[in-house]
């Protein structure tokens, strides 16, 4: 991805407290900027989902709505 100029990774998916959070941490450890789609992630457990989002936000991940990301990355 670096060879293609990718600097930011936008993450959405299932298991907010598992796969999403793990992927976000791995991407950040590799030096990428990470944006979590707050309305693009989910979990079977609402409580774990909300806790994971809160922990990621407190760990300085950017949490954004998909509409915000779409507005920023319009085709040129």
């Amino acid at each position: 991805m670096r060879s293609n100029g990718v600097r930011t990774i936008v993450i959405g998916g299932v298991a907010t407290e598992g796969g999403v959070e793990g992927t976000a941490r791995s991407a950040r450890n590799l030096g990428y900027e990470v944006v979590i789609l707050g309305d693009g992630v989910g979990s079977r457990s609402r409580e774990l989902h909300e806790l994971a989002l809160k922990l990621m936000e407190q760990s300085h991940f950017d949490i954004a709505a998909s509409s915000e990301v779409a507005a920023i990355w319009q085709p040129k």
Side-chain angles (χ1 to χ4, degrees):
M1 292 191 324
R2 274 194 188 83
S3 64
N4 288 320
V6 174
R7 297 185 324 225
T8 303
I9 296 175
V10 179
I11 300 175
V14 295
T16 310
E17 72 283 0
V20 171
E21 187 174 2
T23 300
R25 291 184 187 283
S26 293
R28 184 171 63 187
N29 289 342
L30 290 170
Y32 292 98
E33 295 293 325
V34 178
V35 177
I36 309 295
L37 294 175
D39 59 350
V41 295
S43 176
R44 287 184 179 193
S45 167
R46 183 83 168 151
E47 183 179 351
L48 291 176
H49 164 77
E50 290 175 2
L51 179 60
L53 282 176
K54 185 180 290 187
L55 287 172
M56 285 188 284
E57 188 172 39
Q58 291 174 351
S59 299
H60 306 288
F61 284 102
D62 291 321
I63 312 291
S66 56
S67 60
E68 293 175 290
V69 173
I72 293 169
W73 279 320
Q74 292 294 320
K76 293 180 182 180

